[in-house]
Amino acid sequence: MKRRTALAGLLLLVTGCSTGPSLENKGAVTAPPGDSHHLTIGSAGFTESDLLAQMYALLLKQAGYKTSLLTVANRELYEPALESGQIDVVPEYAATFADWLNAKTNGPGAPAVGSPDLAATMNALRRLATPRGLTVLAPGKAVDQNAFAVARSYAEEHHLKTLSDLGASGLRVRLAAGDECVQRPYCEPGLKKVYGIDITAVDPKGVGTTQAKNAVRNGQDQMVLTTTTDATLDQFGLVILADDKHLQNADYVVPVVNRSRAGSPGVTKALGKLNDVLTTADLASMNQQVDSWRRLAQDVARTYLKDKGLLT
């Protein structure tokens, strides 16, 4: 989903990093939190990550820190850089990052620890992050989860507001999604088991792609797998059906910091201000401004924070 290639020089910088303190050397991660006054904010290179990183940088700068931004295109590179202190702060998603660290720690076949339960997910994430010298700050209200959308006219015709409504309707549904949907518990199996939706086929057009959305708009498919912060649904006449039984994992936005460099109360307080205001709808709106209106992420982030009274 939403990725772009990082600059070659930045990738070389990160791939040359160590992977931080070993899990056997836990004494290295129990030292008092550090408070470096020059912090590097990491972005995973897609629009939403860029926006979050820009907002983090602006809030930290206002709190008295010097900041720089580093774009690294995938978690396999930026997470070790975060452990080693090449990157000090990065925006993450609770359930996804918990499962990623779990697989890194316990092997790719380890049972998932991310779940729809935010508290349980955060507890698991912090247990996995702490031995690696990482501190996971509090999540806010914004969440970027998988979501399922239908044509607005289809929803109105059949009186659909939730996925439970769709299941109860008995309608036969062809689903536009990635081909992995047939096996993933949050997708076809979950929709059948949790909601009783009659999925007749998965049309492998990808997650939230233009092709997939057009297929639903044109009636070829009845529903599309997308995300809660998809900024283009209105353009295709689509609406999200509420996940009222919480099938999807708790992928709330969480800042993750290198404890030895950015674990101070000053960083926590500065970034915590965003939790009081940022919503899922806000993220979708900002994504739209960058992706559809071609505004710069830095300008969108600055305007948002000023409008919310967080920047002077």
Side-chain angles (χ1 to χ4, degrees), residues 1-2 46 48 52 56 92-96 115-118 121-122 138-147 226-231 240 243 246-254 274-275 277-287 304:
M1 186 174 70
K2 300 171 290 187
F46 58 94
E48 188 168 292
L52 289 164
Y56 289 1
E92 261 295 354
Y93 300 92
T96 295
S115 76
D117 185 326
L118 177 59
T121 296
M122 288 296 296
K141 295 174 283 190
V143 57
D144 188 347
Q145 295 170 303
N146 294 303
T226 183
T227 66
T228 52
T229 59
D230 189 326
I240 289 175
D243 180 21
H246 307 292
L247 172 63
Q248 302 304 320
N249 282 346
D251 259 332
Y252 285 75
V253 175
V254 289
L274 194 58
N275 287 354
V277 298
L278 185 65
T279 65
T280 303
D282 291 342
L283 272 180
S285 174
M286 285 189 281
N287 285 338
Y304 177 80

Side-chain angles (χ1 to χ4, degrees), residues 107-231:
V113 295
S115 76
D117 185 326
L118 177 59
T121 296
M122 288 296 296
N123 286 339
L125 174 54
R126 285 172 168 148
R127 284 197 304 270
L128 291 159
T130 298
R132 296 184 175 277
L134 307 180
T135 296
V136 183
L137 304 185
K141 295 174 283 190
V143 57
D144 188 347
Q145 295 170 303
N146 294 303
F148 296 92
V150 299
R152 182 177 288 105
S153 57
Y154 182 83
E156 291 172 353
E157 178 184 357
H158 299 288
H159 310 289
L160 306 176
K161 293 185 178 179
T162 68
L163 290 171
S164 288
D165 292 340
L166 181 56
S169 73
L171 292 165
R172 293 166 62 83
V173 175
R174 180 177 163 95
L175 173 63
D179 54 10
E180 71 278 4
C181 177
V182 297
Q183 296 179 327
R184 296 287 173 85
Y186 67 81
C187 206
E188 181 184 2
L191 291 172
K192 288 180 174 179
K193 181 178 179 181
V194 175
Y195 288 107
I197 297 173
D198 184 8
I199 305 293
T200 60
V202 172
D203 186 6
K205 285 185 165 59
V207 179
T209 63
T210 297
Q211 184 183 22
K213 292 171 191 172
N214 273 327
V216 175
R217 177 168 62 178
N218 298 336
Q220 177 183 346
D221 299 330
Q222 286 72 51
M223 188 161 68
V224 59
L225 171 61
T226 183
T227 66
T228 52
T229 59
D230 189 326

Side-chain angles (χ1 to χ4, degrees), residues 19-21 78-85 87 101 104 132-134 258:
T19 56
Y78 72 67
E79 190 278 331
L82 184 62
E83 288 188 31
S84 70
I87 294 174
L101 286 181
K104 182 176 179 179
R132 296 184 175 277
L134 307 180
N258 178 290

Side-chain angles (χ1 to χ4, degrees), residues 23-37:
L23 297 182
E24 291 77 17
N25 187 19
K26 292 186 180 181
V29 300
T30 57
D35 193 23
S36 173
H37 289 287

Side-chain angles (χ1 to χ4, degrees), residues 227-302:
T227 66
T228 52
T229 59
D230 189 326
T232 66
L233 294 177
D234 279 347
Q235 298 174 26
F236 293 88
L238 307 181
V239 293
I240 289 175
L241 297 181
D243 180 21
D244 53 309
K245 293 184 179 178
H246 307 292
L247 172 63
Q248 302 304 320
N249 282 346
D251 259 332
Y252 285 75
V253 175
V254 289
V256 182
V257 304
N258 178 290
R259 177 183 170 87
S260 66
R261 289 183 50 82
S264 69
V267 171
T268 300
K269 182 179 179 180
L271 297 181
K273 292 179 179 179
L274 194 58
N275 287 354
D276 297 332
V277 298
L278 185 65
T279 65
T280 303
D282 291 342
L283 272 180
S285 174
M286 285 189 281
N287 285 338
Q288 182 181 38
Q289 291 176 58
V290 175
D291 291 337
S292 299
W293 304 355
R294 302 304 180 191
R295 294 188 62 195
L296 295 176
Q298 183 177 9
D299 294 340
V300 173
R302 184 182 299 277

Side-chain angles (χ1 to χ4, degrees), residues 51-108:
L51 285 163
L52 289 164
Q54 291 284 357
M55 287 189 285
Y56 289 1
L58 290 165
L59 289 170
L60 288 167
K61 185 176 181 180
Q62 180 161 273
Y65 295 89
K66 292 182 179 179
T67 61
S68 57
L69 277 81
L70 179 63
T71 298
V72 185
N74 63 66
R75 193 175 278 112
E76 287 78 7
L77 292 176
Y78 72 67
E79 190 278 331
L82 184 62
E83 288 188 31
S84 70
Q86 293 271 358
I87 294 174
D88 302 307
V89 184
V90 70
E92 261 295 354
Y93 300 92
T96 295
F97 196 44
D99 284 335
W100 195 88
L101 286 181
N102 186 43
K104 182 176 179 179
T105 302
N106 300 312

